[in-house]
Amino acid sequence: MIIAGGAGGQQHAAAAGASGQVQGVSALDWKFSQVFGERAANEEVQEVDIISAIEFDKTGEHLATGDRGGRVVLFERIDAKEWRGRKELERVDSSLPRQPEYRYSTEFQSHEPEFDYLKSLEIEEKINKIRWCHTTNGAQSLLSTNDKTIKLWKVVEKKVKKVKDLNIDPATPVGNGNLGSPVHSPRSYSLKSSGLGRQPSSSHELTIPPGGIPSLRLPTVYSTESVLFARCRRVYANAHAYHINSISTNSDCETFISADDLRINLWNLEVSDQSFNIVDIKPVNMEDLTEVITAAEFHPSHCNILAYCSSKGTVRLIDMRQSALCDKHSKLFEEQEAPGSRSFFSEIIASISDIKFARGGRYILSRDYMTLKLWDVNMEAAPVATFKVHEHLRPKICDLYENDYIFDKFECCLSGDSLRVATGSYSNLFRVFGVTPGSEEATTLEASKTPNRRLVQTPSKSGRFINLGRGRRENRRGSESPVSEINGGVYDFTSKLLHLAWHPSANLIACAASNSLYMYYA
């Protein structure tokens, strides 16, 4: 199976200055970097080990993953730590760049399975989202959430202290009530009462000879290796009647939002028993409900702006300065359906599963079942670019619906320079698209040690993008649908790559294939 790429579009890169034009960006050559938790052949994967969330911190020095068993696993970058001295840094700058390399750091149990007795509802321990918070005093902080409860974790580095030089004979076994015997029995000395000048009446009394007892020594404390400890600082609970689908930290480093199907709440990181409802789309009569919230994200630099998407395929931008309850959006991004194209499945496949802001906040990337769409916040009528990811699955849409695969929620991400976007697909494949004008980059990679082994060439078909600089639509070449299929046309819908994240500054993608974490660099 080859997943077809669609038409790309133009995007202003941050490094391009006021003109916003980036020309001549060549396609990246992706290579395998690392894998953690690689599954052996015919190894059965436990449900609790499947990765359900991935997130880099803002520096890219740390990576966190969450799984369905409620665990959070942390990784830290090690290649940059090897270059400490100035001469080494100068030598590295003049040499070829090295890809980021990570190692396992620590893990902790974030959530446990619970039971809501009032609603007779089981609450899974599965980690839905992870978000890194602002670093304070050298300690890392992150938020993790399951369906109902959000927790703030502080991860600090502590040195393990041990006691040595004990006044215990190591040859003496330690048993119940026996802590070992001194190296030399104090009974071999006699103690003189210096105050009264009397000799001891018994030879068994302790006497300290001149110069002290050489075998008697005080224990000392020494530090060994440093170990990371995770401590739960806050628990934000009982604020959502429906399942939490997203959390997002604010650029003010003080607040964050949490969203469920019908509401978005605003929290202060230091206050766990109170939140403010800023979006509420619940109708008076639930029979009038036509859409639900599927994801929400804060603007990367403006603390008063956030975006949320819905099951109707719309993206709404709201400004919290307008009113306390932001029921009215500032902008609505929605692409109108072509006449005569509506079907029973139209609303299902239009549902947006994930949105991400570009680093500068000028663009919003959205992912629905069929496509990736790139929106300019200044243009609501149509997306700047549309990338067709699952167009080849349209003939199988009835089968996908019957087996519930049509409800799979794929995530998306942007590169740090905002020149490329990526998203996952089935058969553990993921796609990387270039968004600059004239770019034909549409790479298909497999989450394995040989990511290019399934790459098959496909013919191109025309696609469109909107040229912002000239304000008109143009046609260009871009593959939309495959004519070849992998493994004789067998689609492995059980192997789905739902979660992935792009390093904030390097061309490094981390993606989850079942219980394995793969990393690729270019």
Side-chain angles (χ1 to χ4, degrees):
M1 177 181 67
I2 295 297
I3 298 181
Q10 177 185 19
Q11 180 176 10
H12 298 293
S19 65
Q21 302 295 326
V22 180
Q23 301 289 347
V25 179
S26 58
L28 296 177
D29 181 21
W30 291 94
K31 299 180 179 64
F32 169 79
S33 177
Q34 290 177 276
V35 60
F36 296 93
E38 184 180 16
R39 180 175 55 173
N42 300 323
E43 179 185 356
E44 184 178 354
V45 178
Q46 300 296 323
E47 180 77 12
V48 295
D49 295 330
I50 297 177
I51 298 174
S52 57
I54 302 178
E55 183 76 8
F56 281 103
D57 72 342
K58 291 184 178 181
T59 65
E61 298 296 313
H62 300 274
L63 173 66
T65 65
D67 61 27
R68 296 186 181 181
R71 297 182 298 266
V72 173
V73 183
L74 303 183
F75 302 87
E76 63 177 348
R77 186 173 176 178
I78 59 175
D79 58 299
K81 294 184 178 181
E82 298 174 359
W83 307 325
R84 295 294 185 182
R86 179 177 178 181
K87 292 183 178 180
E88 291 182 354
L89 289 173
E90 292 175 351
R91 175 177 55 82
V92 170
D93 289 341
S94 61
S95 62
L96 294 175
R98 296 176 58 182
Q99 73 272 14
E101 186 177 350
Y102 290 80
R103 70 180 175 190
Y104 168 85
S105 179
T106 188
E107 67 179 88
F108 55 90
Q109 188 71 31
S110 174
H111 288 73
E112 300 281 355
E114 302 175 24
F115 189 82
D116 188 339
Y117 293 97
L118 294 177
K119 298 182 179 180
S120 297
L121 180 69
E122 291 184 0
I123 303 174
E124 289 183 318
E125 65 270 32
K126 171 191 169 187
I127 304 297
N128 291 340
K129 294 290 181 181
I130 295 175
R131 290 293 182 265
W132 291 90
C133 301
H134 182 66
T135 302
T136 56
N137 299 325
Q140 300 291 330
S141 298
L142 56 87
L143 291 166
S144 62
T145 182
N146 64 352
D147 287 338
K148 293 291 184 180
T149 306
I150 308 166
K151 294 184 180 181
L152 174 64
W153 293 89
K154 185 177 182 180
V155 183
V156 295
E157 188 177 85
K158 291 184 178 180
K159 291 185 176 180
V160 179
K161 295 182 178 180
K162 294 184 179 181
V163 179
K164 66 178 180 179
D165 296 334
L166 293 173
N167 194 44
I168 300 295
D169 184 2
T172 304
V174 178
N176 292 332
N178 180 20
L179 298 179
S181 60
V183 177
H184 295 284
S185 174
R187 293 178 180 270
S188 59
Y189 301 99
S190 62
L191 178 65
K192 296 181 179 180
S193 300
S194 56
L196 300 177
R198 295 193 304 238
Q199 295 293 333
S201 59
S202 172
S203 60
H204 294 293
E205 294 184 9
L206 182 65
T207 301
I208 300 178
I213 304 174
S215 61
L216 182 64
R217 55 188 180 273
L218 292 176
T220 58
V221 178
Y222 70 103
S223 298
T224 57
E225 73 280 356
S226 296
V227 178
L228 290 176
F229 288 92
R231 181 170 62 91
C232 184
R233 291 192 58 212
R234 299 279 190 279
V235 177
Y236 312 91
N238 305 320
H240 287 278
Y242 305 94
H243 290 177
I244 299 172
N245 54 49
S246 57
I247 54 176
S248 178
T249 54
N250 201 347
S251 58
D252 63 6
C253 304
E254 295 181 356
T255 57
F256 72 94
I257 56 172
S258 58
D260 63 20
D261 291 342
L262 299 179
R263 295 185 178 93
I264 299 178
N265 293 334
L266 177 67
W267 301 81
N268 188 296
L269 286 167
E270 300 300 324
V271 181
S272 60
D273 59 352
Q274 185 182 34
S275 65
F276 299 93
N277 180 228
I278 57 175
V279 175
D280 189 349
I281 65 171
K282 183 179 180 180
V284 177
N285 185 359
M286 286 296 288
E287 293 181 357
D288 299 331
L289 182 66
T290 59
E291 62 180 334
V292 296
I293 299 170
T294 53
E297 187 86 3
F298 259 123
H299 191 281
S301 56
H302 297 299
C303 61
N304 55 290
I305 296 177
L306 62 93
Y308 71 92
C309 54
S310 76
S311 58
K312 274 194 170 182
T314 61
V315 178
R316 291 177 172 87
L317 201 68
I318 61 175
D319 190 339
M320 294 190 294
R321 297 174 298 183
Q322 291 182 345
S323 63
L325 186 61
C326 304
D327 285 339
K328 294 183 179 180
H329 52 266
S330 300
K331 292 188 177 183
L332 174 65
F333 305 93
E334 183 178 13
E335 186 175 27
Q336 299 299 325
E337 282 186 288
S341 63
R342 185 167 183 82
S343 68
F344 172 78
F345 306 104
S346 295
E347 189 168 325
I348 300 176
I349 62 177
S351 176
I352 298 176
S353 57
D354 190 27
I355 57 171
K356 292 288 192 305
F357 272 100
R359 172 172 286 189
R362 173 69 183 274
Y363 295 90
I364 300 174
L365 181 67
S366 66
R367 171 70 154 99
D368 56 48
Y369 188 77
M370 288 292 183
T371 64
L372 270 175
K373 293 178 182 177
L374 190 66
W375 301 85
D376 187 333
V377 296
N378 296 326
M379 188 174 67
E380 306 172 48
V384 175
T386 299
F387 307 94
K388 297 186 178 180
V389 182
H390 281 165
E391 191 65 25
H392 60 286
L393 297 180
R394 196 174 291 274
K396 302 178 180 293
I397 199 166
C398 291
D399 296 333
L400 295 170
Y401 176 77
E402 291 176 358
N403 293 281
D404 289 340
Y405 294 126
I406 199 172
F407 301 104
D408 289 333
K409 300 182 182 300
F410 294 92
E411 294 181 359
C412 58
C413 59
L414 297 96
S415 61
D417 55 12
S418 301
L419 299 180
R420 294 173 179 85
V421 296
T423 189
S425 182
Y426 295 107
S427 296
N428 285 338
L429 300 177
F430 65 98
R431 304 292 322 266
V432 179
F433 300 96
V435 300
T436 54
S439 174
E440 296 290 338
E441 182 175 1
T443 308
T444 303
L445 300 166
E446 182 191 20
S448 67
K449 289 186 175 180
T450 53
N452 297 309
R453 72 185 180 95
R454 293 192 176 189
L455 193 59
V456 181
Q457 296 296 326
T458 62
S460 297
K461 292 187 178 181
S462 62
R464 69 164 179 85
F465 72 95
I466 299 175
N467 191 313
L468 296 180
R470 287 169 284 185
R472 60 188 178 88
R473 297 186 180 184
E474 296 184 356
N475 289 329
R476 72 172 189 179
R477 306 293 288 176
S479 57
E480 285 187 2
S481 60
V483 295
S484 301
E485 297 176 356
I486 291 177
N487 296 336
V490 177
Y491 296 86
D492 187 1
F493 293 108
T494 60
S495 300
K496 57 193 78 172
L497 200 151
L498 302 176
H499 312 286
L500 75 170
W502 202 307
H503 191 281
S505 58
N507 284 322
L508 177 83
I509 294 178
C511 55
S514 187
N515 66 324
S516 302
L517 176 66
Y518 287 91
M519 296 187 185
Y520 303 92
Y521 73 97

